[in-house]
Amino acid sequence: MISPEAFFRPRGTPFSILHRIRALTALGHTVDLVTYPFGESPGIPGLKIERARPFPGVRDVPVGPSKAKALLDLPLFRRAYRMARTGDYDLVHSHEEACVLGARISDRCGIPHLYDMHSSLPEQFANFGRFNWRPVVRLFRNIERYTLDRAAGVIAICPSLADYVRGRGYSGVLTVIENTLDVDRPPVTDAERDAVRERYGLRDARLAVYTGSLEPYQGLDLLIEAAAMLHESLDDAHFMIVGGWASQIEAMHKLARRHRVADRFTFVPAVPPEDVFLYQELADVLVTTRAIGQNTPLKIYQYLRADRPIVATAIESHTQVLDASCAEMVEPTAEGIAAGLHRVFEDAQYRAELAAGSSRRARERYSKERYHALLAELIYSLPRRNVVKA
């Protein structure tokens, strides 16, 4: 498996990779993971981590496209290619831009290639607002085409991405396996919830909680604007944002001060994965205000299991999983978010109906057993390795 990520770090794609590995090892496979020189080892039996050499001067890697990633990919690709040529592997399983190497290995070594597609590579540049230049986008569109032409199988993490793959003319084995698995969810007690609310001075507040990254596409600027609109009509409502790093949190603080609602927001830096559930279960309402995108974020599946009502923007990232039976779906505007929050906060029966609907959806559609069954069916449908002298 080839992962151009800091592994493991508690964020979206590394979580997805972690759960792929856990499922593969639970199905009886062993995994050699080639990854960046940063991150923690999750200690999974059957997993061996092979870290590529660091690139001089690069000490870490941010989320999304970056110069650091481009530099780290050079030693990563060299190590993975060498291992593929000298090892005895049945499958090369690639993530993100490592797909081009997976396709090359398949060509040269006769190893079937499984492309784990977390997003369309060209669209990442627009979503993150980095390197969104025509020549770069064209290059990655060509890389994507080259990969799909040679992939024995493709995993798409959401239905819209599967539609995109078919639209690009892919006719091979394609399976939608959503990022529904999670770290073990410890039970949260009333005492724990009360203690955290007390710590932040929120014992009696009606609380809307967001958990996740603070990247611009998450639309948290809209949430801050919505809070300003609700300042008088919901004077006891408070907003807790859990995630992000110091510089991102400071930018959010600054925006909240500009809208004169800084006192209505509590910002909690990124917490360990096993603690995220505690903060989600503090909520009277869980909120996700993502403004653009098609890929469903991992937190949506967490939200569904939290037994809480959800307010979500009605964009494709969310509507592939959520609908009016389990969430208040709103326009991706400050006005839409404010109206949705007002409705859910003010109607106790509606809150209970949404919470029940979200729990039901999690049970019926997103179980661990279904995830494992989909992955096993895909793996066993792929062709066997051909012996090729590289």
Side-chain angles (χ1 to χ4, degrees), residues 59-87:
R59 294 181 176 83
D60 207 344
V61 62
V63 176
S66 66
K67 292 180 180 177
K69 263 183 140 285
L71 295 173
L72 289 167
D73 281 346
L74 297 173
L76 175 77
F77 283 18
R78 281 197 298 267
R79 181 154 192 171
Y81 188 59
R82 186 169 60 249
M83 289 173 60
R85 291 183 63 184
T86 59

Side-chain angles (χ1 to χ4, degrees), residues 40-314:
E40 303 298 324
S41 172
I44 301 172
L47 168 65
K48 181 181 179 183
I49 295 181
E50 299 280 353
R51 296 197 181 274
R53 289 180 178 275
F55 194 94
V58 179
R59 294 181 176 83
D60 207 344
V61 62
V63 176
S66 66
K67 292 180 180 177
K69 263 183 140 285
L71 295 173
L72 289 167
D73 281 346
L74 297 173
L76 175 77
F77 283 18
R78 281 197 298 267
R79 181 154 192 171
Y81 188 59
R82 186 169 60 249
M83 289 173 60
R85 291 183 63 184
T86 59
D88 184 22
Y89 295 104
D90 297 313
L91 182 70
V92 56
H93 185 158
S94 71
H95 300 268
E96 297 188 312
E97 71 270 15
C99 65
V100 68
L101 179 62
R104 180 67 171 166
I105 288 171
S106 185
D107 271 350
R108 296 295 300 274
C109 305
I111 307 174
H113 175 216
L114 174 60
Y115 177 25
D116 209 321
M117 196 172 184
H118 303 270
S119 63
S120 166
L121 292 174
E123 290 181 4
Q124 282 195 25
F125 300 104
N127 289 342
F128 284 93
R130 302 176 201 154
F131 310 106
N132 194 22
W133 308 322
R134 187 174 298 174
V136 175
V137 173
R138 186 184 303 116
L139 171 64
F140 277 84
R141 188 170 290 116
N142 290 337
I143 286 173
E144 190 172 78
R145 183 180 300 112
Y146 172 82
T147 299
L148 292 175
D149 286 346
R150 289 158 177 79
V154 174
I155 297 175
I157 65 162
C158 58
S160 69
L161 198 55
D163 292 340
Y164 172 83
V165 172
R166 289 297 189 208
R168 295 298 300 269
Y170 182 71
S171 58
V173 179
L174 173 63
T175 301
V176 176
I177 305 180
E178 296 169 85
N179 288 321
T180 58
L181 293 190
D182 216 328
V183 297
D184 292 336
R185 194 180 189 97
V188 177
T189 66
D190 290 340
E192 288 174 316
R193 283 190 286 266
D194 291 345
V196 176
R197 278 182 169 262
E198 189 72 32
R199 183 192 314 159
Y200 292 105
L202 301 173
R203 175 178 287 277
D204 298 319
R206 291 193 286 180
L207 192 59
V209 174
Y210 166 88
T211 62
S213 77
L214 305 190
E215 296 296 326
Y217 61 82
Q218 298 289 4
L220 293 171
D221 55 330
L222 299 176
L223 181 61
I224 291 172
E225 291 181 41
M229 295 176 182
L230 295 170
H231 188 66
E232 294 185 5
S233 60
L234 290 175
D235 59 0
D236 62 342
H238 197 85
F239 302 84
M240 177 176 278
I241 310 297
V242 183
W245 319 115
S247 61
Q248 295 174 318
I249 291 171
E250 178 52 35
M252 291 289 103
H253 264 301
K254 184 176 180 179
L255 185 60
R257 289 194 296 269
R258 188 185 309 154
H259 285 280
R260 300 182 180 180
V261 289
D263 61 330
R264 306 287 292 274
F265 279 83
T266 295
F267 294 92
V268 180
V271 300
E274 62 272 14
D275 292 345
V276 171
F277 312 119
L278 169 58
Y279 287 91
Q280 290 171 349
E281 292 190 23
L282 291 180
D284 296 294
V285 179
L286 288 166
V287 61
T288 175
T289 55
R290 182 176 286 220
I292 59 172
Q294 295 178 311
N295 302 333
T296 303
L298 181 147
K299 66 174 166 279
I300 296 302
Y301 307 104
Q302 295 178 330
Y303 280 13
L304 287 172
R305 287 188 285 266
D307 194 27
R308 295 292 185 272
I310 300 168
V311 173
T313 46

